[in-house]
């Protein structure tokens, strides 16, 4: 392994950053733990004042230049959004409310006997900026289980979908149909005051997250013939119930993988396609079901949520051509052939990151613990040792390091979930956490309708006609 590769694989536990929100004031021995909604209600007035103060002090300040290439280049790097749940740093990766992935793995509550963070705790952190107690996370698990049933007509919609309809299309259909019972849509029609928008948005967001396992499980069993859907267990956590609905609940290692998977895929700041789409559609006061179904349609694109599928296809094709235990030289030749064929090495490079994705490192740690001898995992590690130097030599990437997609499909395959078309649905279950948390705060803070200014090519030429 090269020295840069070795150094980048080391995960550290940096000192905890002070949250933008006040520290949690809860005792694990309290008779009745404060619920997420109650805590949110306490935080909203303080955050409204915080935003007002920030705008008063900084509102008229310039926030970086805009160049024409950014308009033509997909607004890459253009500062244009407020997203509170997470911030992506080019050098150190994602932070959830100021906390790194290793910090989240250490601090967030775990299931009894488990070592990976519970997504319930991550959602609490995204919404409040605080680490919840074990009791609060357990209550959130029970709340989601109680909300998990989907309407019978939505079940019928899914059951009538042909198995040839892509799972993401079915997922989007079902989430859109949940709008039928939207608390926000009803409250808005009844004339709810603007300052109270966050309440029904919170209820819809909780319902959305709670119902996704039943939707995902029904799609999986309908498309891949896995039999009747079992019931949600109110005494189990979210990931355990999802694993059970998918037919893997008896495999504790797979359940642990889902806990990690949902946590690290939950949010990745606001500029990616799915997150931005959810925020944009929500800004029109579309309810969370409509906003998130739109986000899912963006997530389904080959340049976003399908990347892990492309990695797995590339790995399997490589194995079929050069064997499972190929030498470094054979792997190098295959990588060079990929590049010389005008293709990219899937799973490498990132729009923002300039170092190894910490989500990749977290998955690698999981694999070293649970499946160190898996042939595909060994190939992933072998590629990690070779690809960065090759990409740098070829001049093909500003960031030659792996991202989260370079690993996730291999882990799912190890446990028997080899239906690649379904992987993006799992991504969709995860990303709902970040989008929902931001939608709640957007309504609480009175975020306006998004309406950026656009220009034609002719207008751009005219604008700079007499300028050097």
């Amino acid at each position: 392994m090269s020295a840069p590769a070795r150094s980048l694989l080391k995960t550290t536990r940096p000192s905890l950053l002070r949250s933008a929100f006040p520290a949690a004031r809860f005792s694990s021995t309290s008779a009745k733990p404060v619920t997420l909604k109650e805590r949110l209600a306490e935080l909203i007035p303080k955050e409204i004042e915080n935003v007002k103060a920030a705008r008063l002090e900084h509102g008229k300040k310039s926030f970086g230049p805009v160049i024409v290439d950014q308009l033509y280049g997909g607004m890459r790097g253009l500062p244009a959004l407020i997203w509170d749940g997470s911030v992506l740093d080019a050098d150190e990766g994602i932070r959830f409310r100021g906390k790194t992935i290793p910090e989240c793995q250490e601090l967030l509550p775990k299931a009894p006997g488990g070592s990976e963070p519970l997504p319930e705790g991550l959602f609490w952190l995204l919404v409040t900026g605080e680490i919840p107690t074990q009791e609060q996370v357990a209550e959130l698990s029970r709340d989601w289980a109680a909300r998990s049933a989907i309407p019978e007509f939505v079940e019928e919609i899914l059951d009538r979908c042909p198995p040839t309809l892509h799972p993401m299309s079915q997922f989007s259909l079902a989430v859109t149909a949940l709008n039928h019972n939207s608390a926000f849509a009803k409250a808005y029609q009844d004339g709810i005051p603007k300052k109270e928008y966050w309440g029904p948005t919170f209820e819809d967001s909780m319902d959305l997250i709670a119902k996704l396992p039943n939707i995902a499980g029904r799609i999986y069993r309908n498309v891949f013939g896995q039999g009747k859907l079992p019931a949600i267990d109110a005494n189990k956590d979210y990931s355990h119930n999802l694993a059970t609905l998918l037919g893997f609940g008896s495999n504790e290692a797979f359940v642990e993988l889902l806990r990690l998977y949902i946590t690290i895929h939950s949010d990745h700041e606001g500029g990616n396609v799915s997150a931005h789409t959810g925020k944009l559609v929500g800004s029109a006061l579309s309810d969370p079901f409509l906003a998130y179904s739109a986000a899912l349609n963006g997530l389904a694109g080959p340049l976003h949520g399908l990347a892990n599928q492309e990695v797995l296809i590339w790995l399997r094709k490589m194995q079929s051509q050069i064997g499972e235990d190929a030498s470094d030289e054979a792997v190098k030749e295959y990588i060079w052939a990929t590049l010389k064929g005008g293709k990219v090495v899937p799973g490498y490079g990132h729009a923002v990151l300039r170092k190894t994705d910490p989500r990749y490192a977290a998955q690698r740690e999981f694999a070293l613990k649970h499946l160190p001898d898996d042939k595909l995992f060994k190939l992933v590690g072998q590629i990690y040792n070779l690809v960065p130097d090759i990409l740098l030599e070829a001049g093909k990437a500003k960031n030659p390091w792996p991202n989260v997609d370079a690993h996730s499909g291999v882990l799912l395959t190890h446990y028997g979930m080899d239906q690649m078309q379904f992987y993006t649905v799992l991504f969709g279950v995860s990303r709902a956490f970040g989008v929902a948390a931001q939608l709640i705060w957007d309504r609480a803070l009175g975020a306006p309708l998004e309406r950026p200014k656009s220009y034609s090519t002719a207008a751009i030429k005219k604008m700079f006609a007499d300028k050097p």
Side-chain angles (χ1 to χ4, degrees):
M1 181 182 292
S2 66
R6 286 195 298 272
S7 66
L8 285 166
L9 268 181
K10 293 180 181 177
T11 56
T12 58
R13 305 280 183 185
S15 60
L16 301 182
L17 295 184
R18 177 176 294 178
S19 171
F21 291 86
R25 303 187 301 273
F26 310 125
S27 169
S28 60
T29 59
S30 59
K32 184 182 179 183
V34 176
T35 67
L36 178 57
K37 191 172 186 180
E38 290 169 342
R39 183 59 184 146
L40 182 59
E42 293 175 351
L43 290 171
I44 285 173
K46 301 174 185 177
E47 185 60 12
I48 289 175
E49 293 306 313
N50 184 38
V51 171
K52 286 181 179 178
R55 294 190 67 174
L56 182 64
E57 183 177 359
H58 305 294
K60 303 302 181 183
K61 297 177 182 177
S62 175
F63 197 66
V66 177
I67 62 175
V68 173
D69 271 348
Q70 286 179 299
L71 275 66
Y72 285 101
M75 299 188 289
R76 184 65 54 88
L78 186 69
L81 297 170
I82 293 295
W83 192 269
D84 293 311
S86 62
V87 173
L88 180 59
D89 182 87
D91 292 321
E92 67 177 15
I94 195 70
R95 282 181 180 264
F96 301 122
R97 290 291 191 179
K99 292 178 172 52
T100 65
I101 286 176
E103 289 169 349
C104 289
Q105 288 178 287
E106 179 182 355
L107 295 172
L108 290 175
K110 283 89 176 165
S115 59
E116 299 297 343
L118 290 169
E120 290 90 327
L122 190 280
F123 184 67
W124 188 293
L125 175 65
L126 290 175
V127 172
T128 69
E130 302 166 344
I131 300 295
T133 65
Q134 197 76 39
E135 290 90 342
Q136 287 165 337
V137 163
E139 177 57 33
L140 192 51
S141 295
R142 289 189 290 269
D143 192 354
W144 283 346
R147 296 169 181 259
S148 63
I150 58 177
E152 185 175 344
F153 81 92
V154 177
E155 294 179 345
E156 292 175 357
I157 289 173
L158 291 174
D159 291 346
R160 290 179 65 85
C161 288
T164 52
L165 182 63
H166 196 284
M168 282 298 285
S169 299
Q170 298 188 40
F171 199 21
S172 177
L173 279 173
V175 171
T176 299
L178 292 178
N179 154 266
H180 181 269
N181 296 327
S182 167
F184 179 82
K186 183 179 186 304
Y188 186 83
Q189 187 175 17
D190 292 343
I192 185 174
K194 188 175 182 179
K195 66 179 181 180
E196 297 176 15
Y197 282 177
W198 74 269
T201 300
F202 177 89
E203 296 300 328
D204 279 354
S205 296
M206 291 284 282
D207 282 345
L208 169 67
I209 293 172
K211 297 177 189 306
L212 294 182
N214 261 326
I215 293 173
R218 201 171 196 92
I219 293 170
Y220 186 76
R221 289 172 180 265
N222 283 351
V223 173
F224 304 111
Q226 300 294 319
K228 187 177 179 181
L229 198 70
I232 291 282
D233 186 342
N235 297 313
K236 297 294 185 180
D237 64 89
Y238 188 84
S239 303
H240 196 290
N241 274 316
L242 176 57
T244 300
L245 292 168
L246 297 173
F248 297 89
S250 61
N251 189 327
E252 187 55 38
F254 183 86
V255 175
E256 279 282 271
L257 173 60
L258 275 191
R259 290 167 182 150
L260 174 64
Y261 183 100
I262 294 174
T263 296
I264 65 177
H265 285 80
S266 63
D267 205 27
H268 213 230
E269 75 170 24
N272 65 76
V273 171
S274 55
H276 185 197
T277 301
K279 182 178 175 68
L280 171 65
V281 176
S283 79
L285 297 187
S286 299
D287 63 68
F289 304 112
L290 296 180
Y292 195 60
S293 64
L296 286 172
N297 291 334
L299 188 65
L303 296 183
H304 191 9
L306 295 188
N308 57 6
Q309 181 176 322
E310 294 180 350
V311 169
L312 198 54
I313 292 172
W314 184 72
L315 292 174
R316 285 179 167 172
K317 187 176 180 180
M318 182 190 301
Q319 281 188 330
S320 70
Q321 293 190 20
I322 66 176
E324 287 190 340
D325 299 300
S327 66
D328 284 356
E329 286 304 314
V331 174
K332 282 183 181 180
E333 290 180 8
Y334 192 88
I335 295 168
W336 275 112
T338 298
L339 295 173
K340 291 176 180 178
K343 300 178 182 178
V344 300
V345 176
Y348 279 74
H350 192 274
V352 177
L353 280 172
R354 292 297 174 260
K355 288 187 178 179
T356 297
D357 191 335
R359 299 173 301 171
Y360 174 95
Q363 291 179 101
R364 178 173 173 81
E365 287 182 359
F366 182 94
L368 287 169
K369 179 180 178 181
H370 294 281
L371 49 134
D373 298 322
D374 182 271
K375 296 288 188 180
L376 270 176
F377 167 60
K378 286 186 173 182
L379 179 58
V380 167
Q382 191 176 13
I383 290 169
Y384 180 83
N385 292 336
L386 300 172
V387 164
D389 289 340
I390 292 174
L391 291 178
L392 288 172
E393 182 181 345
K396 292 289 185 180
K398 294 180 181 178
N399 167 28
W401 307 110
N403 58 53
V404 66
D405 299 308
H407 225 309
S408 54
V410 170
L411 297 179
L412 294 169
T413 298
H414 174 81
Y415 292 106
M417 181 175 281
D418 56 1
Q419 300 92 349
M420 291 183 290
Q421 281 190 316
F422 191 77
Y423 291 172
T424 316
V425 174
L426 289 181
F427 197 164
V429 172
S430 310
R431 186 50 56 86
F433 285 56
V435 173
Q438 188 61 44
L439 285 172
I440 293 167
W441 273 109
D442 281 353
R443 300 292 77 77
L445 300 176
L449 175 71
E450 285 189 19
R451 182 58 174 88
K453 174 63 178 169
S454 63
Y455 294 89
S456 67
T457 298
I460 292 291
K461 290 182 177 180
K462 182 178 180 181
M463 190 183 304
F464 295 97
D466 300 323
K467 298 179 181 179

